[in-house]
mmCIF file of all heavy atoms in Angstrom:
data_model
loop_
_atom_site.group_PDB
_atom_site.id
_atom_site.type_symbol
_atom_site.label_atom_id
_atom_site.label_comp_id
_atom_site.label_asym_id
_atom_site.label_seq_id
_atom_site.Cartn_x
_atom_site.Cartn_y
_atom_site.Cartn_z
ATOM 1 N N GLN K 65 22.685 16.138 -7.859
ATOM 2 C CA GLN K 65 21.939 16.279 -9.093
ATOM 3 C C GLN K 65 20.663 15.443 -9.004
ATOM 4 O O GLN K 65 20.561 14.570 -8.143
ATOM 5 C CB GLN K 65 22.792 15.770 -10.285
ATOM 6 C CG GLN K 65 24.158 16.452 -10.409
ATOM 7 C CD GLN K 65 24.032 17.860 -10.936
ATOM 8 O OE1 GLN K 65 23.217 18.142 -11.822
ATOM 9 N NE2 GLN K 65 24.832 18.773 -10.417
ATOM 10 N N SER K 66 19.737 15.724 -9.902
ATOM 11 C CA SER K 66 18.506 14.953 -9.889
ATOM 12 C C SER K 66 18.028 14.714 -11.313
ATOM 13 O O SER K 66 18.342 15.487 -12.222
ATOM 14 C CB SER K 66 17.434 15.701 -9.087
ATOM 15 O OG SER K 66 16.267 14.910 -8.958
ATOM 16 N N ARG K 67 17.300 13.642 -11.464
ATOM 17 C CA ARG K 67 16.674 13.291 -12.734
ATOM 18 C C ARG K 67 15.253 12.853 -12.498
ATOM 19 O O ARG K 67 14.972 12.173 -11.504
ATOM 20 C CB ARG K 67 17.441 12.113 -13.403
ATOM 21 C CG ARG K 67 18.868 12.374 -13.752
ATOM 22 C CD ARG K 67 19.571 11.102 -14.161
ATOM 23 N NE ARG K 67 19.952 10.292 -13.005
ATOM 24 C CZ ARG K 67 19.749 8.971 -12.950
ATOM 25 N NH1 ARG K 67 19.148 8.318 -13.936
ATOM 26 N NH2 ARG K 67 20.136 8.273 -11.882
ATOM 27 N N ARG K 68 14.378 13.225 -13.430
ATOM 28 C CA ARG K 68 12.999 12.728 -13.343
ATOM 29 C C ARG K 68 12.588 12.273 -14.743
ATOM 30 O O ARG K 68 12.065 13.048 -15.542
ATOM 31 C CB ARG K 68 12.043 13.825 -12.856
ATOM 32 C CG ARG K 68 10.645 13.262 -12.545
ATOM 33 C CD ARG K 68 9.694 14.294 -12.032
ATOM 34 N NE ARG K 68 8.418 13.693 -11.655
ATOM 35 C CZ ARG K 68 7.365 14.390 -11.276
ATOM 36 N NH1 ARG K 68 7.409 15.718 -11.226
ATOM 37 N NH2 ARG K 68 6.245 13.776 -10.922
ATOM 38 N N PRO K 69 12.842 11.012 -15.042
ATOM 39 C CA PRO K 69 12.579 10.519 -16.399
ATOM 40 C C PRO K 69 11.088 10.440 -16.744
ATOM 41 O O PRO K 69 10.741 10.497 -17.937
ATOM 42 C CB PRO K 69 13.207 9.119 -16.396
ATOM 43 C CG PRO K 69 13.245 8.733 -14.953
ATOM 44 C CD PRO K 69 13.419 9.980 -14.180
ATOM 45 N N ASN K 70 10.240 10.308 -15.757
ATOM 46 C CA ASN K 70 8.796 10.274 -15.986
ATOM 47 C C ASN K 70 8.080 10.694 -14.719
ATOM 48 O O ASN K 70 8.732 10.971 -13.691
ATOM 49 C CB ASN K 70 8.331 8.872 -16.456
ATOM 50 C CG ASN K 70 8.769 7.780 -15.511
ATOM 51 O OD1 ASN K 70 8.516 7.858 -14.295
ATOM 52 N ND2 ASN K 70 9.459 6.760 -16.039
ATOM 53 N N THR K 71 6.747 10.724 -14.751
ATOM 54 C CA THR K 71 5.979 11.209 -13.611
ATOM 55 C C THR K 71 6.235 10.388 -12.356
ATOM 56 O O THR K 71 6.247 10.901 -11.231
ATOM 57 C CB THR K 71 4.465 11.166 -13.929
ATOM 58 O OG1 THR K 71 4.209 11.993 -15.060
ATOM 59 C CG2 THR K 71 3.631 11.636 -12.756
ATOM 60 N N SER K 72 6.465 9.093 -12.525
ATOM 61 C CA SER K 72 6.494 8.189 -11.367
ATOM 62 C C SER K 72 7.858 8.132 -10.688
ATOM 63 O O SER K 72 7.916 7.743 -9.526
ATOM 64 C CB SER K 72 6.116 6.766 -11.830
ATOM 65 O OG SER K 72 4.805 6.752 -12.376
ATOM 66 N N PHE K 73 8.926 8.461 -11.384
ATOM 67 C CA PHE K 73 10.267 8.210 -10.841
ATOM 68 C C PHE K 73 11.066 9.501 -10.728
ATOM 69 O O PHE K 73 10.971 10.390 -11.592
ATOM 70 C CB PHE K 73 11.038 7.227 -11.722
ATOM 71 C CG PHE K 73 10.614 5.812 -11.543
ATOM 72 C CD1 PHE K 73 9.573 5.296 -12.307
ATOM 73 C CD2 PHE K 73 11.251 4.970 -10.624
ATOM 74 C CE1 PHE K 73 9.165 3.987 -12.151
ATOM 75 C CE2 PHE K 73 10.845 3.674 -10.469
ATOM 76 C CZ PHE K 73 9.819 3.175 -11.241
ATOM 77 N N CYS K 74 11.879 9.534 -9.679
ATOM 78 C CA CYS K 74 12.815 10.644 -9.524
ATOM 79 C C CYS K 74 14.061 10.070 -8.851
ATOM 80 O O CYS K 74 13.952 9.232 -7.946
ATOM 81 C CB CYS K 74 12.186 11.736 -8.650
ATOM 82 S SG CYS K 74 13.055 13.301 -8.728
ATOM 83 N N PHE K 75 15.223 10.548 -9.299
ATOM 84 C CA PHE K 75 16.498 10.047 -8.779
ATOM 85 C C PHE K 75 17.307 11.178 -8.188
ATOM 86 O O PHE K 75 17.258 12.323 -8.674
ATOM 87 C CB PHE K 75 17.305 9.380 -9.893
ATOM 88 C CG PHE K 75 16.606 8.183 -10.517
ATOM 89 C CD1 PHE K 75 15.861 8.331 -11.672
ATOM 90 C CD2 PHE K 75 16.723 6.945 -9.925
ATOM 91 C CE1 PHE K 75 15.217 7.230 -12.243
ATOM 92 C CE2 PHE K 75 16.075 5.841 -10.488
ATOM 93 C CZ PHE K 75 15.315 5.976 -11.647
ATOM 94 N N LEU K 76 18.048 10.836 -7.149
ATOM 95 C CA LEU K 76 19.010 11.761 -6.562
ATOM 96 C C LEU K 76 20.383 11.155 -6.793
ATOM 97 O O LEU K 76 20.655 10.043 -6.359
ATOM 98 C CB LEU K 76 18.731 11.927 -5.059
ATOM 99 C CG LEU K 76 19.791 12.676 -4.251
ATOM 100 C CD1 LEU K 76 19.963 14.090 -4.731
ATOM 101 C CD2 LEU K 76 19.436 12.661 -2.768
ATOM 102 N N ASP K 77 21.247 11.909 -7.473
ATOM 103 C CA ASP K 77 22.611 11.485 -7.719
ATOM 104 C C ASP K 77 23.547 12.342 -6.887
ATOM 105 O O ASP K 77 23.518 13.576 -6.956
ATOM 106 C CB ASP K 77 22.975 11.641 -9.209
ATOM 107 C CG ASP K 77 22.071 10.832 -10.104
ATOM 108 O OD1 ASP K 77 21.927 9.617 -9.868
ATOM 109 O OD2 ASP K 77 21.498 11.417 -11.060
ATOM 110 N N ILE K 78 24.416 11.681 -6.141
ATOM 111 C CA ILE K 78 25.451 12.366 -5.394
ATOM 112 C C ILE K 78 26.761 11.978 -6.054
ATOM 113 O O ILE K 78 27.195 10.820 -5.964
ATOM 114 C CB ILE K 78 25.432 12.012 -3.899
ATOM 115 C CG1 ILE K 78 24.022 12.188 -3.329
ATOM 116 C CG2 ILE K 78 26.425 12.898 -3.148
ATOM 117 C CD1 ILE K 78 23.873 11.770 -1.885
ATOM 118 N N ARG K 79 27.381 12.931 -6.717
ATOM 119 C CA ARG K 79 28.489 12.595 -7.615
ATOM 120 C C ARG K 79 29.758 12.190 -6.875
ATOM 121 O O ARG K 79 30.455 11.268 -7.279
ATOM 122 C CB ARG K 79 28.797 13.794 -8.526
ATOM 123 C CG ARG K 79 27.657 14.079 -9.502
ATOM 124 C CD ARG K 79 28.068 15.049 -10.562
ATOM 125 N NE ARG K 79 28.388 16.360 -10.004
ATOM 126 C CZ ARG K 79 28.626 17.416 -10.755
ATOM 127 N NH1 ARG K 79 28.606 17.342 -12.061
ATOM 128 N NH2 ARG K 79 28.900 18.568 -10.190
ATOM 129 N N SER K 80 30.050 12.849 -5.812
ATOM 130 C CA SER K 80 31.266 12.560 -5.053
ATOM 131 C C SER K 80 30.954 12.775 -3.567
ATOM 132 O O SER K 80 31.240 13.848 -3.011
ATOM 133 C CB SER K 80 32.410 13.456 -5.510
ATOM 134 O OG SER K 80 33.599 13.151 -4.814
ATOM 135 N N PRO K 81 30.354 11.773 -2.953
ATOM 136 C CA PRO K 81 29.910 11.962 -1.556
ATOM 137 C C PRO K 81 31.067 12.247 -0.622
ATOM 138 O O PRO K 81 32.128 11.587 -0.680
ATOM 139 C CB PRO K 81 29.250 10.626 -1.222
ATOM 140 C CG PRO K 81 28.958 9.980 -2.521
ATOM 141 C CD PRO K 81 30.029 10.455 -3.460
ATOM 142 N N GLY K 82 30.844 13.209 0.231
ATOM 143 C CA GLY K 82 31.790 13.505 1.303
ATOM 144 C C GLY K 82 31.177 13.076 2.630
ATOM 145 O O GLY K 82 30.000 12.723 2.704
#
Side-chain angles (χ1 to χ4, degrees):
Chain K
Q65 304 286 321
S66 185
R67 298 170 281 135
R68 190 179 185 186
N70 53 54
T71 300
S72 300
F73 284 87
C74 195
F75 299 95
L76 170 61
D77 300 308
I78 308 176
R79 293 192 296 188
S80 182

